[in-house]
Every structure is written in structure tokens, then in C-alpha cells.
Amino acid sequence: STKVAEIFETMAYGPAPEQSDYVQEWLDGHPDGFDLFIGGKWVAPEDKKKTIESRDPATGKPLARFSIAGKADVDKAVEAAQKGFAKWSRLSGHQRARHLYALARLIQKNSRFLSVLESMDNGKPIRETRDLDIPLASRHFYHHAGWAQLMDSELAGYEPLGVVGQVIPWNFPLLMMAWKIAPAIAAGNCVVLKPAEYTSLTALYFAEMCREAGLPDGVVNIITGAGDTGEMLVRHEAVTKIAFTGSTDVGRLIRKATAGTGKKLTLELGGKSPFLVFDDADLDSTVEGLVDAIWFNQGQVCCAGSRLLVEEGVADRLIEKVKHRLNHFRLGSPLDKAVDMGAIVDPVQRDRIDSLVNQSVTEGAVKWQPDVSCPTEGCYYLPTLLTDVSPANVAAREEIFGPVLTVTTFRTLAEATELANNSRYGLSASVWSENINRALEIAGMVKAGVVWINCTNQFDAACGFGGYRESGFGREGGREGMFEYLKRSDEWRKSGSDIIDKAKLPEISTKHVDVIDRTPKNYIGGKQKRPDGGNSLAVAGHDGKFVGRVGDGNRKDIRDAVEAAFKAEGWSKATAHNRAQILYYIAENLSIREEEFARRLSLLTGASAKAAKAEVDASIARLFSYGAWADKFDGLVHTPPMRNIALAMNEPLGVMGVVCPDTAPLLSFISLIAPHLAMGNRSVVIPSQRYPLIATDFYQVLETSDVPGGAINIVTGDREGLAKVLAQHDQLDGIWYFGSAEGSEMVERLSADNLKRTWVNNGKARDWASSNQGEGRQFLREATQVKNVWLPYGD
Ligand code: NAI
């Protein structure tokens, strides 16, 4: 017939719609809307009148109504989780593993249903839900069933946290839910999860599956609602950990809301990820990669490759090919198996995309869209290219969260990395080059939690996922993801404090001045520098008598120290062997001066000669420990179920603030600086406020030990005031704070601005002399972040 001839001519696909009537039937079975899933039962919310409507973005038609959980409902859900925890956490790992396995199987058995429901609710093509979202969700339960099984042996000494609150976004509703729930319950926690208000339906269906699987009551609780409900959950006192995925703005609010509460926190936030193409890239593969990077899920992907950075010589050819590909793009019903792109989740999001694109054009970008048909009904947005995008253009800076790619060219490798890293985000990067040496070099230089070489948007439950910088902190998946849901049983001392109350600082009597010849200084960039303000503080010995002075550092001193640390980038690039040697050398030089340091400790703290010697010995041993660790805290090679390997590398965080306690002033100081030196961080250290002379004495040890200038910087003075300046510093990558409970709150709250990594003690104390509390893998983990570099193999 002519029709067949026509099709032959155009080679166009006909529509291939997936059936959805049985899903519609399930939705129709809830004419009064969905209740909340609490304690293994469907529970009506207190306020039954308030509901949210879920709409099909492809048609705008309502799909279902669900509840808005209020304060009383959130309380109820948390209580149910607490009850559930009492039993769940006592099951054997094997028993928990069987439950996770049952959930994995049920997701598989329901995969068609879930794929259709997800596509209807979110608007993403069925091809994606069927091939990616749902199988990967199931894979997460399989993988984590394994962690539950192995927990006793592989994660010995760790225990679950209790009730975990989880808040997720709408772009991968079921998959994000699986990412959150599987590790949490594998570890023995119970969860209260709030799905996003646009897309709650697959989570509600999953709740039904939990019942079917016979999951004990209260292990998984699903409460629906909008941001207010999320906030109530985040603020709930009995919640011990928050895991959040969503916008960076909300992530910041959550960081502030949880500051000082002792709640553990992981944040998976936004991105503006570079997609780097070099002139030797296989351009046809690159085009397909780009399609997966930025037009997958309509570009509503936190790790979307939204910034194309292409080497000048191939830019025109690549853009030509991309345009050709887009001119054959098919937008249409998400349930059509043959579409390239479905609908945007909600008109609010589409309008946001459109307004950002318009603003970008106003700021000088050139917009290109293909000449393809775009459904007039429903919520669609054409794939879009923005060229001539300057680094200051809104589209180069802000996460658009839509099918919009910016194009920028570069000439040299240095320029490419500079452009790639010119972002406050650091979630992912994709590098395209047939030259493996070059690709791996770039992978090392790019600030991103995931780097895909000649591939893009690859995920697996065994490979940690998470960001650098303002893309958030913590990892999901793999061993590192498990630690986010666990705590060490013996992390802190049962009682006591590691700091001396300011009120209890001795009145310094200056009558018996016997040491006056010291000029107080800071240690910055490898040199002793006079404090900016020119002021100094008197230091007393244990008997309250004056023994010396130290500099009274201020904001300017901290800024200088941070700058010096930034300049010392070479330390982060030094080999592990080299760092180890220097740590041993510091130990050797401390050892030479052992008696002097012991005497000083006795004078300052009143420690007996024996105790003081023991502290110096322990400090020397600790330096040896980190010399040993420097070249042994290796990464892993993951073998995900695709033709890839993923290299999980422990990278230094960068420039760190370190605020030291008063107890065991030499040992705690060494215990906190040595892991940073070992892992390649550069740090700015505020020593004990009561015993700062131990740190100033240490300048000479550093000076004689070949520690490069700027790798470690020391500023003495008012600990809390200086900690505040560090927490507010917008370039610092992280801060360890071992002071008071109030100081911990302050540090976490102020760190929200640039989302620096924090490790605080909440006023608790450690036994610095013990090898459990005073050193080890936890320190190394807190000093590093995992970068997963994905490498394909084969053709
Ligand atoms: P959002 O961050 O507001 O929402 C994510 C989740 O957080 C939802 O479940 C929401 O109900 C909840 N939430 C909102 N305010 C909260 C609060 N104060 N406390 C606790 N939970 C709260 O993101 P939204 O409004 O859906 O999207 C806005 C923009 O955010 C997008 O255009 C995109 O740029 C970005 N975004 C990024 C995501 C990512 O994965 N990187 C995911 C979703 C959004």
C-alpha cells in the first residue's frame, strides 16, 4: 500500500503505546484518595480535607489525590518507626537480607506496572522507566540485601542509627526511594519517607508491596505532603538521620535546621555538570552520549551534562551532528515506546525552564531548537541548544533542570578544566576522548563526585554517588553509602568534655613572669607570622601562673592562612609515599624533642612526668600510624553489571579548618592534623585555647620536617571566634570541630552557605589515647571524599 511505501520513505516509527488500563484501574480503586502508610497500615491523616492532586503531565488530567501529613501524622509515623526499630534492629542480618530480597523480587514482578505508573505520574518515557528506573530500583534492594547479610562481618563495630527521615524529589521517584530505603533498612534502621508532591504514586504502590512482602510493621513508613511536611520530618526530635535529595536551596535549609542536633545528614543536591569533548573523541558516540546526558528524563537530572565544553577544532562538526540528531527527535506520549522525550513534570517546572532560557538569551546566548513537532497539549519543552554562552550567563551558572544544553568551546586542556571547574557545583562530569591518558588526567582534575569517561549517566547500587562542593555531601550506594546509615558503637566517651570551660580558665597572675622573651606568632605558609592585630594573649600553666604569650589571631589571620593553604595545592598532588615519608619525619623530629615536649606538657597541664611522656610517645606513634595509612587508604574497583568498571578513589577534600580540643592537647592536636596530612588536605588549625603553647612549640618540628609551606597553618587565639570565621569562609572545603555543643551548632549552621563538609563532636569527648576513638579509618573517611571514575571496556 502507499502507506507502507510512505513509511519506507520516511523511515518514521509509528506510535507504540504501552497499555495502561490496569494501572488506571488501580488508581480508580482509590476514589477517596490515598491515606498515609504508617506502621504497616493505611492511616487517614488528621486533616482529611487537605489533599494534593497528582496530574499526568502528558495530558494535564488528574490521576489521583493523596494526603498531606500534618504534625500529628508525622509524629505518628516517627513513633511507628521507633516501635519498628526495636524489633528490626535486633533481627539478624540474614533475616533482614531476606526481607530486602523479597522487596527486590516484588519490584521485578511488578516492573511493568511500576514502569507505566511512573511514566504516567512523572511524564518520563516508558523506555526509560522500563530499562532504567525500575530495574535499578530492584538492583538497589538486591545489592543492599547483601550488605544486610554481611553486616556483622564487613561492618563490625557499627550499629544502626534509629529512625531515618528521607525526603526525595520528583525526577526519579521510585529509584530515589530505593536509593534511600534499601541502605537504611539493610543497616537496621527504620524509615519515614516523604516522596515529592508531584510524584508520590509509585511510593504509595511500593507501600502496598511492603505489606505484600510481609515487611514488619513500622520499618517503612510513607507520608505524603509538600515542603511543610518535609520540614516537620526534618525537625522531628526522634529522627536521628536525614537523607535528602533535591534542590540546593532546600538542602541549605535542612543543613541549618539540623545544625547542632547531632542528626547525621546526607545531601544530594543540584549540579551544572560539564560534558567535555576533545578533538580526538568519537563524535558519533559523543552525540549519543549527549542525548543521554541532557535529554534523558527531559534533562530533569541532577547530574545532567548540561554544559557542553568542546574543543574548538571539532565544535562545528559536533554541533552539526547534534542538530541533525535533534531534528529527528520525537517528543510525545510518555507511554509511547518510540519517543525520545516525554513531558516535563509540571507546568511550574516548564515555566521555570522557559524563563531561564529567555533570561539567558537576554544575556547574549543564542537559542536553537529543532524543527520537530511538539505536542500542544500537555507539558512539553523542545530540546534546546544555547550557544555563545559566556561564563557569567545565567545558563552557565544556574541549574536549569530541563532539556537545555549550553555550548562553550575551549582550546587547551588547561582551559577545559578551568571551565569545567568554574561552578559552585561538583556532582558529575563526562569526558570524551579516545586518548585514555588524557581522559584519566582530566578525571583527576575535575571537581566532581562521579566522572564518566566515554559514557554518561551510568549508575549502580555498588558504586557510590554524590557530589563535591555545593552539590552536597555523603554518598549513596556501595560501602561508603552504608556508613551514612551507621554509627560506631564506641565513637565517643560515655561522659565528660574535651574542652575546658572558659569560665574555668585560670586568672593569670602576671606577678611571676618568668618567660617573657617569646614573640607570639602564627604559623602561616610555612613561616612564623605576627598576628594582624598585633595583640597577644597570656597563657597560664596548670598552677595559673603566667608561662608565655600567644598571638590573638583574627579574621585577617584566618583569611591569610586559608589563602596560604590554597596556594599549597602541591601537597594534595604529592604522592602517598612522599606524604608518608614526611609524617615519619615529623615523628622523628618530635621524638628528638620528646623530653622538652613532655616537660612543657607537665608545666601546662599538670600531668605527671610519666603521663606527659606517655602523651608524647602516643603522639609519635600516631604520626607513625598516619604515615602508615598514607599509602594504604586505597580506593576500590567496582564491577557494575554493565561493560564498565568504576574506580572509587579517595580524594582529599582540599582546604580544611581544624578546631582542636583541650584534653590531651598534644595528642589530640596530632590526631587531628595527621589524617589531613596523610590524605593530602591542607589545613588551617586552631589549637587548644587553654594550651596553645604546645602547638606553637610544634612550629619548629614542622619547620625541620620538610612539610611544605601552607600544607598546615596554625592560628592561635579565641577558639570559638576563630572557628566562626572558618565556618563562614566561603572557600573552605570542610571543617572538623572538636569543641562545645554550642560551637558545633554554630559550625554546622554557618557551614550551610557553601555547604562545607563538617565533622563536629556536639560537645562529646573522645579517648584520644585509644586506638578506637583516637585514630583510624573514620578519620580518613572524614578527610576524604570518594570520586567514582567510570571506564568502559570493549567496543
Ligand atoms: P525541592 O528541593 O523543593 O523539593 C525536593 C523535595 O523536598 C520535595 O519532596 C519537597 O516536598 C521537599 N521539600 C521542600 N521544601 C522542604 C523543606 N523546607 N524541608 C524539607 N523538605 C522540603 O525541589 P522542587 O521545588 O521540586 O524543584 C525546584 C528546583 O530544584 C528544580 O527546578 C531543580 O532545579 C531543583 N531540583 C533538583 C533536584 C536534584 O536532584 N538535583 C531534584 C529536584 C529539584
Side-chain angles (χ1 to χ4, degrees), residues 67-83:
S67 314
I68 299 180
K71 180 78 180 80
D73 305 311
V74 174
D75 288 350
K76 230 185 260 174
V78 173
E79 261 168 48
Q82 276 176 304
K83 255 198 211 153

Side-chain angles (χ1 to χ4, degrees), residues 252 255 265 267 269 424 468-474 562 566 653 655-657 723-736 746-760 782 785:
R252 262 193 203 103
R255 168 71 291 179
L265 179 63
L267 298 173
L269 309 174
R424 60 199 168 97
Y468 278 35
R469 299 175 163 175
E470 290 180 40
S471 291
F473 43 73
V562 173
F566 264 96
L653 287 169
V655 175
M656 299 291 293
K724 184 174 176 191
V725 179
L726 282 173
Q728 284 172 321
H729 200 292
D730 63 2
Q731 281 182 311
L732 208 66
D733 295 298
I735 179 166
W736 288 6
M746 181 256 306
V747 163
E748 288 189 328
R749 180 167 37 83
L750 296 177
S751 292
D753 281 340
N754 73 337
L755 286 166
K756 46 180 85 66
R757 281 89 187 105
T758 55
W759 187 24
V760 304
E782 298 282 356
Q785 53 194 341

Side-chain angles (χ1 to χ4, degrees), residues 341-358:
M341 249 174 64
I344 302 291
V345 72
D346 190 87
V348 170
Q349 284 300 122
R350 187 194 46 197
D351 295 349
R352 186 174 178 273
I353 297 166
D354 198 42
S355 89
L356 282 166
V357 168
N358 291 338

Side-chain angles (χ1 to χ4, degrees), residues 500 506 539-545 547 597-613 615 662-666 690-691 694:
I500 296 168
V539 178
H542 66 97
D543 55 4
K545 285 184 193 148
V547 289
F597 269 87
R599 265 200 314 276
R600 188 67 146 185
L601 274 172
S602 290
L603 174 72
L604 290 171
T605 67
S608 69
K610 198 172 154 218
K613 182 175 180 304
E615 185 173 338
D662 297 319
T663 31
L666 177 66
R690 175 67 183 86
Y691 309 117
I694 279 298

